[in-house]
Amino acid sequence: MSRRWRQLLISAVVVPLASVVAGFLVGALAILVTGSDPIQAYSALFAGAFTNHNAAAETLVSSIPYVFLGLGVALGFRAGLFNIGAEGQFYVGALAGVFVAFSVHRLPGIVEVPLALLVGMAGGFFWAGIAGVLKATTGAHEVITTIMLNYISFLLASFLVNTKGLLLAPNVSTPRTPDVDPAAVLVTLIPGSRLHAGLLLALIAVPIVWFLIERTTIGFRIRAVGFNIDAARTAGISVRRTIVITMGLSGALAGLAGIVQVLGVNKHMTDTVAAGYGFDAIAVALLARSNPWGVLPAALLFGALRNGASFMQLETQVSSDLISIIQASVIVFVAAPVIVRWLLRLREAPVQTLQITQREEVETTS
Amino acid sequence: MDLDVSWGEVHALLGENGAGKSTLMNVVYGLVRPDSGEIMVDGNRVEIGSPLDAIRLGIGMVHQHFMLIPPLTVAENIILGQEGEFARGLIDVERAGAAVRKLSSDYGLAVDPRAKVEGLSVGVQQRVEILKALYKGARILILDEPTAVLTPQEVEGLFRIVRSLTDEGKAVIFITHKLAEVMAVADRITVMRQGKVVDTRKPAEASLAELARMMVGRPVLLRVERKPARPGAALLRVEGLVVHDDRRQVAVDGVDLAVRAGEIVGVAGVEGNGQDELVEAIVGLRRLQAGRVVFDDRDVSRKSTRERLHAGISYIPADRHRLGIVLELPVSDNLVLDHYGQPPFARWVVRQLKAVRTYAQRLIKAFDIRAAGPDQLVSALSGGNQQKVVVARELSTKPRVLIAAQPTRGVDVGSIEFIHQQIVSQRDAGLAVLLVSSELDEVLSLADRVAVMYRGRIVSVLEGEQIERERIGLLMAGVA
């Protein structure tokens, strides 16, 4: 048992943490090459992310969508589904929710907010569900279909938001939807900051998703399908239904991210509202090792990077694109734990797939 | 451990699954690096870091699962890796074919170099594997469980080939867990248990029972004790069943079969004659092209797998790792894999892990599953214990019909005995069992009736005195 816990600690904490450190080192290298001082740059990044006025609150604001999106992508991973369409589902969720939120009036917030959130989730569920249905019925790979659905949703959002008589608000300089009903706005948690009640929703979503995966029959099906699709089918689990539901739930979380962002931050919707959050979320889920609890620190890291980047650029002239280098290297290290283990001289516990093939080899041939 | 093999000898490596036979041979073939110790060939110490090194030293290996490329011809498969010798841009098919023909006549292994591998029988494919190793200059040939997929007649053929190779002065290492085979073919037998050599004997100096005891570490029953069956009404019937395989070829071609309560019907046959497809069709994992499946006088042809399992059909799939268990889940979850959503294991959609764990503890005890506890990952268990997990799960849901496909494949002798006893005692309690096995011994020792399957058809159903090894062997080969 203690050995198992040690393994778990290494794979769930040590390796991701070391990957982050290694990612920052690669980033430092890149800063050096461009002739700047990495220590200065990282100090500025840290200040911009945490210690400047309101910086910590802003970091949390940026982290909120990462939590929902990261949970969504992680949920898909658990069933072996690679949902690259979180960005698009974010848009569809935001579109569906914002329509409700600016259309309804004179209802109390306690009704309007949940209504808008539910409709947003439904939008995401539906959008990702298309990819799920396509996979379940025709075998079309979700990576392909969600990418395609992304384009459709970007252009759909752009069309709706830019077209008079549809969602375009009258008399605005940049195209956007009308403002949402004041009662539908998520309350501000810290006066003078933009930190909104979406943070609480995010904090509640983590244990809910954990419970869903680890303690419900749906989660059991998701994990069984993700681990061994053939054994799941043999045990009578409907793989098709599980794929559709998992994709849908994954999309619902992405849609929730979208509508929370609209109700909490923008109060209206533009056609750039997702701002790459949905793509970063894939990295968040990877860094979290598809564990809902892991999504929290991973989302915080990505929120901090996103938030601190502009101050770093302002202060030290190091391009904020550096953040992408850090993110990318972190993911490379997370995806290749063998490197990290080697760097840390951790005892061999090879990648899961490798273990399986070796085991099968031994079993079947002896 | 130490092992020495002489030129011109058939050296059998006998041991249960997980005894370390394959690991040892993977070391010799350069697939696994030894932690310590050395390998000597012709008295010289050698380093084998990869299969390439092994081939260079004249070590060839025929894996249990053939490493052939089905759409390529025999000649192409054999020269693979050395195709450069026949090519200047394009491969000279004629010259490659001639080389292969010469090789096959040198060793008396008849094959057509131009035939595509996918069209060959398993026995011939194995011959191609052996030729491939010889072509690469093998002087030491490792055969890993070579008889697993062969008919009794093909086994005879293989033994003749092995003999002719050793007459040429080559050394053959014959890995197996089948006792009778080693007596028939080996010059010396090394028995392994738990990674150690127990003893090396000549066949004349050892008896079957003695070898079995060395393998398992305790005396074993080689035959299952069982009373005559007292069958009741037919619980499972398939009528006019036609099923396609994955390539949409007819795999089951009009099968009629009935299994009555309280009897074991064995389906004998060489692997790949439609048994897998038949079983999958019965449990609803494969679409029927024609015919129907009747369970307890109800047509279940259109029911889902889940509905059939929950109605009282239990299923032990042939491929444990792929179909039977989820390696990444704990023993407890695997024990409820097909009933996780039923009370008391779940209330509405919330799983009741306490109930699951209690149930698992009971089954672990009842079926003598060697696990640290219900929370241990099933991947940490030995093959035999993993199979016990599957058997325990499928026999503990009060099934009325059991479909058992290769229920003891890759399982140690001790567990085989236990699993057989469980199946027989449930039969006595009224269970209808359809046993599909490519181990003829298993069918012979368990089945009350034997249906022989050949090319998708049941060619004969034998009962009582008619159940004879020779006769079944011929039927399996499609001769009788």
Side-chain angles (χ1 to χ4, degrees), chain A residues 77-364:
Chain A
F77 279 151
R78 296 302 287 268
L81 295 169
F82 202 162
N83 179 9
I84 300 194
E87 185 95 351
Q89 293 139 23
F90 183 111
Y91 271 114
V92 176
L95 278 173
V98 79
F99 178 75
V100 172
F102 72 65
S103 305
V104 294
H105 298 287
R106 288 189 293 280
L107 284 173
I110 196 88
V111 178
E112 281 191 14
V113 171
L115 186 67
L117 294 180
L118 276 177
V119 172
M121 289 176 78
F125 189 104
F126 164 75
W127 202 246
I130 297 175
V133 169
L134 286 173
K135 174 157 188 136
T137 53
T138 68
H141 201 283
E142 73 278 5
V143 166
I144 309 294
T145 52
T146 52
I147 289 175
M148 298 300 180
L149 285 164
N150 273 348
Y151 288 115
I152 298 173
S153 57
F154 301 160
L155 295 170
L156 180 73
S158 179
F159 170 69
L160 291 174
V161 171
N162 283 291
T163 309
K164 271 197 189 119
L166 294 174
L167 297 187
L168 181 63
N171 310 319
V172 287
S173 48
T174 45
R176 62 177 184 82
T177 67
D179 282 324
V180 300
D181 189 63
V185 169
L186 289 169
V187 294
T188 304
L189 293 181
I190 302 177
S193 78
R194 295 200 300 166
L195 186 59
H196 56 88
L199 178 69
L200 304 178
L201 291 172
L203 290 176
I204 300 168
V206 171
I208 290 179
V209 172
W210 174 85
F211 188 85
L212 174 81
I213 294 173
E214 301 293 337
R215 289 288 182 272
T216 68
T217 53
I218 304 156
F220 188 72
R221 285 196 285 273
I222 290 173
R223 285 183 295 142
V225 167
F227 285 137
N228 187 341
I229 196 166
D230 295 313
R233 185 182 292 115
T234 305
I237 292 171
S238 169
V239 171
R240 292 174 178 204
R241 201 183 312 158
T242 306
I243 286 173
V244 174
I245 288 174
T246 310
M247 272 313 278
L249 291 174
S250 175
L253 283 160
L256 183 61
I259 186 59
V260 166
Q261 187 73 352
V262 166
L263 300 185
V265 179
N266 305 58
K267 325 288 198 277
H268 58 251
M269 189 184 155
T270 64
D271 58 6
T272 55
V273 67
Y277 275 110
F279 293 119
D280 291 353
I282 299 164
V284 171
L286 282 172
L287 183 57
R289 294 290 186 111
S290 304
N291 180 325
W293 293 107
V295 167
L296 273 184
L300 189 65
L301 172 72
F302 274 66
L305 287 174
R306 178 179 274 250
N307 186 39
S310 45
F311 185 70
M312 179 185 71
Q313 180 164 7
L314 200 72
E315 198 79 337
T316 64
Q317 278 75 53
V318 172
S319 163
S320 62
D321 290 333
L322 173 77
I323 301 308
S324 307
I325 296 180
I326 297 175
Q327 288 175 350
S329 348
V330 168
I331 294 316
V332 168
F333 288 115
V334 169
V338 175
I339 302 174
V340 176
R341 280 173 197 279
W342 175 74
L343 286 173
L344 295 179
R345 302 284 188 278
L346 287 173
R347 238 191 105 62
E348 198 66 9
V351 203
Q352 197 91 56
T353 50
L354 194 65
Q355 263 180 343
I356 294 166
T357 41
Q358 282 181 343
R359 196 163 42 222
E360 276 176 350
E361 182 112 342
V362 171
E363 284 301 329
T364 50

Side-chain angles (χ1 to χ4, degrees), chain B residues 10 36 49 58 66 73 108 128 147 229 235 274 347 419 450 454 479:
Chain B
V10 181
S36 64
F66 302 150
T73 65
V128 176
T147 59
L235 270 183
R347 226 177 277 155
I419 291 169
V450 177
Y454 178 71
V479 179

